[in-house]
Amino acid sequence: MSRRIWIIIFLAASLYLLGNGRVQLWDRDEPRYAQASRQMLQSGDWVVPRLLDEPRIKKPPLIYWCQAGCMALLGDNAFAARLPSVIAMVLTLMLVGSTLARIADEPRAFWAVLVMGTSGLVIMAAKMCLTDAVLLLFVTAGQLMLYAMWLGQRDWWTVIVFAAATGLALLTKGPVVLGVNGMTLVVLGGMRLWEKWRKRKAGDVTRQSRPCDGLNELKTPQLEEPSTLVSTSMGGTPMSRDGVRPGRVSSIFKVVLAIVIILGIGLPWAIAMQMRLPGGLTAVFNKEVLQRMSEPLEQHKGPPGYYLAFFFASFFPWCLLLPTAIKWAWRKRSLPLVRFSLAAVIGPWIMFEAIQTKLPHYVLPCMPFLAILVAEVIVGATQARKTGAADDEAMSKELTARGFLIAVGVWAVIVAALGLMPWVAALPGFAFDRLPYIAMGAVSIIAIGSAIGVMRIFIQKDVERGALAMAGTMFALFAVLFGWYLPRARFLHLSEEVGKFLREGGAVGRGNVYMIDYKEDSLPFYQGGTIRPQPKNAFLSQAAVEDWPEFLTITREIWDQTPESARANLRVLRTFRGWAYAAKGRIVEVMVVMKKPE
């Protein structure tokens, strides 16, 4: 890889690491993974992940092993929990860059790495302690090996890497990797059949046409068969005496080896899990795979076309070039890399649309190949200014047309509006205290200034500089957000502040601290993992005072609903106010109370 690709990867790695120890764990899933990894490290049980008092086998254990390993080195903190995602995403960028530099050229490798590394969903996946970044590494490795095999490069090394990547992906998030690979092949097969149908139809039209029609020949896009694109030792091998090609025997051994590798990676843990929790894996498969496909779980649902619309948010800021990229990819589908990338986007997208449970990050495996398609557009538009090739010139004109410039204006307005979002926290309905006004101003200035700058560059019809400015906007915005604004926006650190207060007050013993109503999953992680939830409306009013723990965390709402006779036995230690974004985004007051001595 060239020096400038390494620079982009270094900048991306720095951005992915920035603020990871100073920004509170997000949503529900991040703290669940972090707490389960911590408990795995503390208990020494590397077979059955546990979250508080329950086994957590909704996902295979590789992500817990990675996070617990980092915690063993760096301590059980948010930075350590997020580190495997950073490492995995950086390795994915290196994999994409090195592969494209070898099979395509340096400009396409550079732009694919830059586009992927600065897209919104990729940045967030790299900065969160979830399975997605680790899964993306193995899925991308498997897809690239699948591409090589599709071209005819089916040597032992390719098969071994493909099998190892598939096995590790299965050990990360189950059978989703099989669906991604399978749907990619289905779309490739469908495209091939469609091309054959078009050729047959074109042949019929040609035969039936008359000279006066002026159609001497109906031209259709030509695509070489994948097996002819890369020379291999398997083509044209003579038959052996028993009528079996030696290459076919080799292929059988390779398939057997791939199966052995995949089973060897995942089967030992599956056997150990079955011995520890008989029937547990079957129940999880039925719920997390089969039921997730047929109905939305945990209210994670969306209408038809959910992911198609969401690509314009998850692939931000490069969604601006996405329509042109898809259009020109279809026109250039005779190119093997473009054709495969198109299938690697369309196939998984169809699969995820068909699955009833929907979450934004499910389509992350599409991102490397979307980046490849967008890189093709940028390189083509850049080369058009130098070579004047017909296809590239047409693409360049499309990116400077009036309709595209209107889209740039809309994009700029969205970026500027996002830059003003931090000021919502200062509105009367929110009115949080300790707001970092200087950091908020910096976010707004960078967003508005970048929006205007990008728009001016595209108006000047310089696609390459405009794309560089878009990437620079993402680097600058996320650097300020995670390095300055988010660590100082204390209303987003509610669980962290409550947990710290509980630890400093000695509320760390098992059974001596409960949480009622405010049951954010991040609170147990920051408290130390001994706090336990209780029913919202029953505990303080029905449980005997002698059964109360020494400490409780409750909301102002619960305090107001508690009978005066019960409140007389409690002493309020401190009240915190913040935004519980994982609990339907409500603004809450969390009270830490202590039971009075008898």
Side-chain angles (χ1 to χ4, degrees):
M1 291 189 297
S2 65
R3 182 190 303 177
R4 66 174 185 166
I5 297 178
W6 282 112
I7 291 174
I8 294 301
I9 293 175
F10 172 78
L11 292 175
S14 302
L15 179 63
Y16 299 160
L17 288 169
L18 185 64
N20 282 3
R22 300 189 299 136
V23 176
Q24 180 180 294
L25 296 173
W26 295 97
D27 200 49
R28 296 173 295 181
D29 287 333
E30 253 207 311
R32 289 173 182 174
Y33 280 106
Q35 178 61 27
S37 299
R38 168 201 274 168
Q39 289 183 217
M40 177 176 282
L41 180 63
Q42 292 175 342
S43 67
D45 184 356
W46 297 84
V47 176
V48 183
R50 293 184 179 276
L51 177 61
L52 300 183
D53 302 319
E54 299 295 330
R56 181 174 169 80
I57 56 176
K58 297 172 62 175
K59 298 293 186 292
L62 184 58
I63 187 63
Y64 303 113
W65 295 345
C66 294
Q67 292 178 359
C70 289
M71 288 179 176
L73 296 175
L74 304 175
D76 57 350
N77 51 63
F79 183 88
R82 287 165 167 163
L83 186 58
S85 295
V86 176
I87 295 173
M89 194 61 76
V90 171
L91 290 176
T92 305
L93 292 178
M94 294 171 62
L95 177 63
V96 171
S98 60
T99 301
L100 290 180
R102 186 169 61 254
I103 68 175
D105 53 35
E106 194 277 343
R108 285 173 172 80
F110 168 78
W111 282 108
V113 170
L114 182 61
V115 169
M116 178 184 167
T118 55
S119 58
L121 185 59
V122 167
I123 294 175
M124 293 308 299
K127 298 185 70 66
M128 299 179 73
C129 54
L130 306 176
T131 59
D132 301 288
V134 177
L135 176 69
L136 181 65
L137 171 62
F138 300 132
V139 169
T140 304
Q143 287 280 72
L144 292 175
M145 294 302 103
L146 187 66
Y147 172 64
M149 292 188 287
W150 177 68
L151 291 179
Q153 184 180 328
R154 303 180 181 95
D155 56 87
W156 289 96
W157 173 249
T158 302
V159 173
I160 290 172
V161 174
F162 173 78
T166 302
L168 291 170
L170 286 168
L171 200 60
T172 303
K173 204 172 180 178
V176 64
V177 61
L178 303 179
V180 170
N181 291 340
M183 288 301 298
T184 300
L185 292 175
V186 166
V187 173
L188 285 172
M191 293 170 70
R192 182 180 179 185
L193 292 175
W194 186 78
E195 294 285 354
K196 287 185 175 180
W197 175 81
R198 283 196 63 188
K199 289 179 181 178
R200 286 198 300 269
K201 184 178 179 181
D204 293 341
V205 172
T206 303
R207 286 192 297 269
Q208 296 172 11
S209 63
R210 295 174 296 177
C212 62
D213 292 335
L215 296 174
N216 296 326
E217 181 181 3
L218 183 60
K219 297 182 180 181
T220 57
Q222 301 295 314
L223 176 70
E224 297 181 84
E225 293 296 323
S227 58
T228 66
L229 296 172
V230 176
S231 60
T232 65
S233 60
M234 297 175 62
T237 306
M239 300 288 287
S240 63
R241 291 184 179 179
D242 57 359
V244 180
R245 294 182 185 273
R248 187 171 298 174
V249 174
S250 175
S251 297
I252 294 174
F253 279 114
K254 289 172 183 175
V255 171
V256 172
L257 176 62
I259 294 174
V260 170
I261 291 174
I262 293 172
L263 293 178
I265 291 174
L267 197 57
W269 172 77
I271 293 174
M273 175 64 72
Q274 180 64 23
M275 295 175 63
R276 293 280 300 278
L277 296 175
L281 289 180
T282 303
V284 169
F285 180 81
N286 290 334
K287 180 179 180 181
E288 296 298 321
V289 179
L290 300 181
Q291 188 177 352
R292 187 174 292 270
M293 294 172 62
S294 60
E295 60 182 270
L297 298 182
E298 299 177 352
Q299 298 182 345
H300 294 153
K301 56 185 178 180
Y306 172 86
Y307 290 113
L308 184 62
F310 190 76
F311 273 135
F312 289 92
S314 62
F315 201 52
F316 193 86
W318 305 103
C319 56
L320 180 62
L321 303 177
L322 192 55
T324 304
I326 298 300
K327 176 181 177 180
W328 282 93
W330 184 252
R331 291 191 181 184
K332 293 189 173 186
R333 65 188 182 279
S334 59
L335 301 175
L337 181 58
V338 173
R339 190 181 189 89
F340 186 89
S341 298
L342 198 58
V345 171
I346 295 175
W349 165 67
I350 293 174
M351 179 185 72
F352 290 125
E353 288 285 6
I355 294 174
Q356 294 303 302
T357 302
K358 291 178 169 59
L359 282 171
H361 56 263
Y362 282 1
V363 293
L364 188 64
C366 300
M367 295 299 152
F369 300 96
L370 279 176
I372 291 173
L373 298 180
V374 171
E376 184 70 26
V377 170
I378 298 173
V379 172
T382 303
Q383 290 178 346
R385 305 179 66 181
K386 302 176 182 178
T387 64
D391 283 349
D392 292 336
E393 185 67 26
M395 183 188 300
S396 179
K397 288 181 179 179
E398 187 166 323
L399 292 178
T400 56
R402 180 179 179 182
F404 178 76
L405 295 179
I406 293 174
V408 172
V410 174
W411 181 92
V413 171
I414 293 173
V415 172
L418 291 175
L420 297 174
M421 288 298 293
W423 295 96
V424 173
L427 295 177
F430 299 91
F432 294 113
D433 59 354
R434 297 178 295 165
L435 292 177
Y437 291 105
I438 298 178
M440 292 159 60
V443 171
S444 300
I445 292 172
I446 291 174
I448 296 173
S450 298
I452 295 173
V454 170
M455 186 167 60
R456 290 185 61 184
I457 293 173
F458 276 112
I459 290 175
Q460 296 170 1
K461 301 183 179 182
D462 193 335
V463 176
E464 184 178 23
R465 283 184 57 227
L468 288 173
M470 290 166 65
T473 298
M474 294 299 285
F475 276 123
L477 267 180
F478 275 87
V480 172
L481 280 172
F482 283 90
W484 192 2
Y485 170 69
L486 291 175
R488 288 171 170 78
R490 302 314 301 175
F491 68 95
L492 297 174
H493 295 247
L494 191 54
S495 290
E496 184 180 0
E497 293 192 338
V498 173
K500 179 181 178 181
F501 183 79
L502 290 170
R503 290 198 316 273
E504 293 175 348
V508 295
R510 182 68 179 271
N512 78 330
V513 55
Y514 289 166
M515 52 182 178
I516 303 175
D517 194 21
Y518 184 76
K519 300 177 182 179
E520 295 289 302
D521 292 281
S522 52
L523 181 55
F525 180 82
Y526 288 105
Q527 179 268 341
T530 60
I531 193 170
R532 293 295 182 271
Q534 292 296 322
K536 178 178 178 180
N537 297 320
F539 184 78
L540 288 176
S541 59
Q542 297 180 7
V545 175
E546 54 268 21
D547 295 331
W548 292 0
E550 186 177 0
F551 298 93
L552 298 105
T553 60
I554 62 176
T555 61
R556 172 71 66 178
E557 178 182 340
I558 295 297
W559 176 263
D560 293 339
Q561 293 175 359
T562 301
E564 186 65 34
S565 58
R567 284 192 295 186
N569 296 294
L570 297 171
R571 178 162 62 93
V572 178
L573 300 180
R574 187 170 174 181
T575 300
F576 301 83
R577 185 174 180 272
W579 184 34
Y581 43 82
K584 299 181 180 179
R586 60 175 181 157
I587 299 172
V588 296
E589 286 188 61
V590 178
M591 306 172 67
V592 177
V593 298
M594 182 179 183
K595 183 173 69 172
K596 294 180 180 179
E598 295 182 6

